[in-house]
Amino acid sequence: EIVLTQSPGTLSLSPGERATLSCWASQSVSRSYLAWYQQKPGQAPRLLIYGASSRAAGIPDRFSGSGSGTDFTLTISRLEPDDFAVYYCQQYDTSPFTFGPGTRVDIE
Amino acid sequence: QVQLVESGGGVVQPGRSLRLSCAASGFPFSSHAMHWVRQAPGKGPEWVAVISYDGNTRYYADSVKGRFTISKDNSKNTVFLQMYSLRVEDTAVYYCARPPSYYDIFYPLDVWGQGTTVTVSS
């Protein structure tokens, strides 16, 4: 099983600031089959990024993903009030298709 | 529009069974793999199971293997999760979800239902 670790656990930032979220895999995620999701309270997760760096349909370009192998990053270039949420990475390279524990982005 | 609607959740005693359903609409259901993902209170999502578009391939999380069965009825546009020998730790909101690509299991999940709550308690 590929175990995903995310850091930091919580990120406290102000609107307009840049957010950098990390996701590490316990073994290489081949084909960069790594996705990022955003989740708000009471809602299902929303796909942001797939293939490590491709934005899903309708996702603003302030969201970007990078990385390969075992190290991946989600960057939000300028935080907007709607971006304060929890972010999860998921690998879909190998079953079980594990999720990371999440990073909460809070308003400072 | 593309929609997934789960049902079948409820309160059940440990050791009992429950079957969840997810009705799909607005897309060619028979061409898509389907997943179940659960989320325990205050926790992150946990992937549970996937079934291929034709029902011939199924994968499970270790935590549910041998107790849960995923199935798919393409004539009814519905995916099921049959849960046996339920445990307290199975308490969660259960979501069905769909990858965007036709036929491929190895894809992320771009459409999710609203979830159905399963509570396992004596």
Side-chain angles (χ1 to χ4, degrees):
Chain A
E1 170 176 327
I2 297 178
V3 177
L4 299 179
T5 304
Q6 292 186 243
S7 74
T10 301
L11 199 51
S12 295
L13 295 168
S14 299
E17 290 193 295
R18 182 185 188 91
T20 303
L21 289 65
S22 295
C23 174
W24 288 281
S26 60
Q27 56 190 274
S28 183
V29 178
S30 62
R31 303 171 289 183
S32 291
Y33 277 8
L34 191 286
W36 290 91
Y37 298 84
Q38 177 194 68
Q39 189 176 32
K40 297 178 182 178
Q43 297 183 16
R46 173 194 179 199
L47 178 66
L48 300 175
I49 300 287
Y50 65 95
S53 61
S54 298
R55 271 187 301 278
I59 301 304
D61 61 6
R62 65 180 181 275
F63 291 93
S64 63
S66 63
S68 64
T70 60
D71 292 0
F72 300 90
T73 301
L74 173 70
T75 301
I76 311 171
S77 59
R78 293 172 308 281
L79 282 165
E80 295 197 358
D82 191 49
D83 298 337
F84 292 92
V86 183
Y87 293 83
Y88 298 98
C89 55
Q90 183 208 17
Q91 66 80 20
Y92 50 96
D93 174 49
T94 305
S95 177
F97 302 140
T98 45
F99 285 85
T103 291
R104 179 180 303 276
V105 179
D106 279 347
I107 298 178
E108 186 170 43
Chain B
Q1 75 278 22
V2 176
Q3 194 172 13
L4 299 171
V5 179
E6 302 94 337
S7 60
V11 180
V12 62
Q13 292 179 327
R16 304 298 291 264
S17 301
L18 203 60
R19 188 175 86 153
L20 306 182
S21 301
C22 170
S25 58
F27 65 95
F29 181 78
S30 61
S31 299
H32 286 262
M34 292 295 297
H35 295 247
W36 287 96
V37 176
R38 68 185 181 183
Q39 190 163 23
K43 303 293 186 183
E46 178 189 14
W47 178 83
V48 172
V50 63
I51 187 167
S52 61
Y53 72 99
D54 58 2
N56 288 338
T57 301
R58 308 173 195 198
Y59 296 116
Y60 296 94
D62 289 347
S63 58
V64 307
K65 200 174 297 181
R67 299 189 301 122
F68 289 11
T69 301
I70 188 171
S71 61
K72 193 175 188 272
D73 187 337
N74 285 337
S75 68
K76 297 182 178 178
N77 286 2
T78 302
V79 61
F80 302 98
L81 187 67
Q82 178 69 55
M83 304 184 292
Y84 300 99
S85 303
L86 282 161
R87 304 169 179 169
V88 170
E89 54 265 35
D90 295 320
T91 295
V93 175
Y94 284 73
Y95 297 99
C96 64
R98 184 211 77 170
S101 72
Y102 285 9
Y103 308 123
D104 199 346
I105 278 180
F106 300 96
Y107 242 82
L109 305 173
D110 75 331
V111 177
W112 295 65
Q114 84 290 349
T116 187
T117 300
V118 173
T119 303
V120 184
S121 173
S122 54

